[in-house]
Amino acid sequence: MWRRLAVGALLALGGFGAAVGSAQAHAIILESRPTLNGAFEAGTLDIFLRFNSRIDQARSRLSLVLPDGRTQPLTVGENADPALVTARATGLAAGPHTLRWQVLAVDGHLTRGEIPFKVGGK
Ligand SMILES: [Cu+2]
């Protein structure tokens, strides 16, 4: 009887270890434009986010929160590099902006975040 209990405990530990391993593939940003709290010229901004893992570009979303509070969806470009998400923002006016991003990593997990930045002004 004690022997059977010990085997059950070992199986439970094995399952837990596998779950921890798969969680390590979450998408994390390594590099971005805009940079966090960075300042950029008015007009056109070529946006990119580089992640630590492959992501599903077709199911990734980018949008901009404009100075007047409106949210503008951006079209995610196609990239040969599966760790990149890109978009072009045009007509940026001076003021505070926020880039909102949501990506689907190849492990099936969604990650999202926000990058506040500034346009124009000195
Ligand atoms: Cu994950």
Side-chain angles (χ1 to χ4, degrees), residues 1-10:
M1 180 190 174
W2 291 113
R3 185 182 164 86
R4 287 181 69 177
L5 280 173
V7 168
L10 278 174

Side-chain angles (χ1 to χ4, degrees), residues 12-35:
L13 277 173
F16 181 70
V20 168
S22 66
Q24 289 172 349
H26 276 63
I28 294 167
I29 292 180
L30 299 180
E31 190 184 3
S32 73
R33 183 172 55 233
T35 46

Side-chain angles (χ1 to χ4, degrees), residues 16-107:
F16 181 70
V20 168
S22 66
Q24 289 172 349
H26 276 63
I28 294 167
I29 292 180
L30 299 180
E31 190 184 3
S32 73
R33 183 172 55 233
T35 46
L36 187 67
N37 296 321
F40 298 84
E41 289 180 16
T44 299
L45 179 64
D46 283 317
I47 291 168
F48 76 86
L49 301 175
R50 181 181 301 284
F51 290 88
N52 65 327
S53 69
R54 298 165 62 92
I55 56 113
D56 183 340
Q57 292 169 353
R59 296 186 198 186
S60 296
R61 303 280 177 263
L62 295 178
S63 63
L64 272 185
V65 182
L66 303 173
D68 65 5
R70 283 182 304 129
T71 300
Q72 173 188 316
L74 298 171
T75 302
V76 175
E78 290 181 24
N79 292 287
D81 183 343
L84 263 189
V85 178
T86 63
R88 171 168 286 183
T90 58
L92 293 184
H97 289 68
T98 300
L99 175 66
R100 286 193 177 147
W101 58 269
Q102 174 180 302
V103 302
L104 181 66
V106 284
D107 69 351

